[in-house]
Amino acid sequence: MVSGTSTWKAPSIDGLPEGRLNMAHEAVDRHVNHGRGATVAMRFLSEDQPDRSLTYLDLSIQSSMFGSVLRTLGATAADVVFVLGGRRPESYIAMLGALKAGCAVAPIFTAFGPEPVRQRLSAGRGRILVATAAAYLAKVRPIRDALPDLRHIVLIGPKSEGIEDAGVYPWDSLMSEASPDFAAVPCDPQDRAFVHFTSGTTGTPKGAILPHQAVIDHEATARSVLGLREGDVYWCTADPGWVTGTAYGLIAPLTCGVTCIVDESEFDARRWAAILQDHAVSVWYTAPTALRMLMKAGPELWHHRDLSALRHVASVGEPLNPEVITWGRTHLDRVIHDTWWQTETGSIMIANGPRTAVRPGSMGQPVAGIEIALVERDEHGERVLLPDGSPSFVKEPGTQGEIAIRTPWPSMMRGYLNAPERYAACFAGGWYLSGDLARRDADGYVWFVGRGDDVIKSAGHLIGPFEVESVLMEHPAVVEAGVIGVPDPLLGESVRAFVTLGPGFEASEELRRDISAFARTRLGSAVAPRQIEVEPRLPHTQSGKIMRRLLRARALGLPEGDTSTLGATA
Ligand code: WT7
């Protein structure tokens, strides 16, 4: 249905003979071939050890060695190599090595609990996993029986020696025997490079497949939107468990040949301000939640701070409040540039670039080569499609609609893993339908309105209410659960759950805490609800679905809106 094209050719991409391509070749090996091997590619910072730098040559050699390791383990293009390694050097080396070997890479966020990890590994039929020893012990070992496909686990980080489980090997012992003689596999530009899991309103997470040719858009937008150029020290604060952390924390900047900063430690306001200064960061790509936390830490952090190297600041993932922009102007003396995209779009689609005038509160304008339109929705919030299947567009400036993008573009997702219908449902009449609602002003600036679905955005990460509800319902006391996002001054939204109890269970603080602990253990801190409320009953539609919209309206004291579909038990 959506036919991609393989004929793209950007000047800063070398490609491989006969129209072939490999992302890792463009990001790493190409620079070595062009005599830039001695440039520092990545500098890793952590609280408890000295900084470690890897040059482009180091990355090239070590990723080739990991490519050899994967070959020895029997990996082929059919494999999805999972990485549960956080921001450690080995994670990035493993991802590049897997790309070189022609495997797809699926990074998993380390703050997930065993249940989200199991779902993702099962969906990708993962045979090979790279994980920190800590993540393996806490999240994978307890569920290994439920993962029959998982054959090989490569352990990284402290304590990875001495675990004697079958099929588990320490990174160092595999790498010490690996040959660096391994050239990147020439892939079809459309071949899958990354599988990034993202959450929907219903069902299990969707594994969005991004192709090798996404590197074309990564490189182009890194230059045009983030303004990257030779000699830059670039800090993308995103974790590689999310698409920003791979697309703009690894592939895009390396393809541009800059030096990337990776901070392995968790957020700390004082440390972050010091990193910007001490490492002379010139381009900084971060997220509204982090910026709000920096705001909260107080203005002293920026007194006498030398940020003279800092040329460009950009943000992504959630609405960038105008007050954050004002704060940036006052305390950093910089304008913060919003950018909009999604896992599915693979690269930045709408942005305030270095050369456009920022309108605080607006996400900016479509990037070069991208055409967007706003799709009409009817009074029930459903898309309006014309008889020929194409979308009906909003014409009037200032009128709200769903962001649609004309297909194709190089980084566009090529599918959802094992879910062709869910993939097909994202497209109509040659357009990709994003699910996000926005307005466009007369000058073409796009203003975010909200999501068109029930998916929760907390600390920049998408959380599917259905996944959380399913786990809550596995608690012996819980009969039914409804999960929504409520506004949170730091996180954007936080997860709130409403549950009903089965016969014989009485609501008590103790039980509530027990359900909360159960959810945290199963789901992990990134996904578990912050707040759980016990209710006598939940509102349903006549067809039996929980009305999350109504839960949200009630929780926030908003008008309940159209309740014509409300069932009798509400
Ligand atoms: C969703 C996509 C962006 C790549 C990493 C996250 C929300 C993204 C903005 C923005 C308001 C934004 C949207 C979008 N979002 N950027 N600048 N302003 N909302 O990718 O996890 O797939 O999330 O993030 O709702 O649909 P993702």
Side-chain angles (χ1 to χ4, degrees), residues 267 269 288-299 301-302 321-328 331 336 490:
F267 175 86
T289 297
L291 292 165
R292 288 190 294 262
M293 293 199 290
L294 286 172
M295 270 173 81
K296 201 177 154 211
L301 224 52
W302 309 98
N321 332 52
E323 63 183 292
V324 179
I325 298 187
T326 305
W327 168 85
H331 297 286
I336 304 171
L490 281 184

Side-chain angles (χ1 to χ4, degrees), residues 13 28 71 84 127 141 167 262 385 404 441 483 508 518 546:
I13 300 289
V28 182
R71 272 291 174 280
L84 184 60
R127 296 192 321 118
R141 191 195 243 172
V262 177
L385 298 183
D441 65 25
V483 167
S508 69
F518 175 83
I546 292 176

Side-chain angles (χ1 to χ4, degrees), residues 196-199 238 242-245 248 285 288 315-320 337-348 350 361-364 403 432 434-437 447-453 455 457 460-463:
H196 269 290
F197 287 90
T198 177
S199 299
W242 308 98
V243 71
T244 309
Y248 292 97
Y285 197 23
S315 159
V316 69
E318 353 147 30
L320 179 66
H337 298 74
D338 198 8
T339 66
W340 176 92
W341 56 294
Q342 303 177 306
T343 303
E344 287 87 343
T345 70
S347 67
I348 299 170
I350 300 173
S362 154
M363 305 190 292
I403 300 174
Y432 164 72
S434 72
D436 274 9
L437 306 178
W447 301 71
F448 185 77
V449 170
R451 291 190 56 92
D453 59 22
V455 176
K457 195 95 219 240
H461 305 143
L462 290 179
I463 298 172

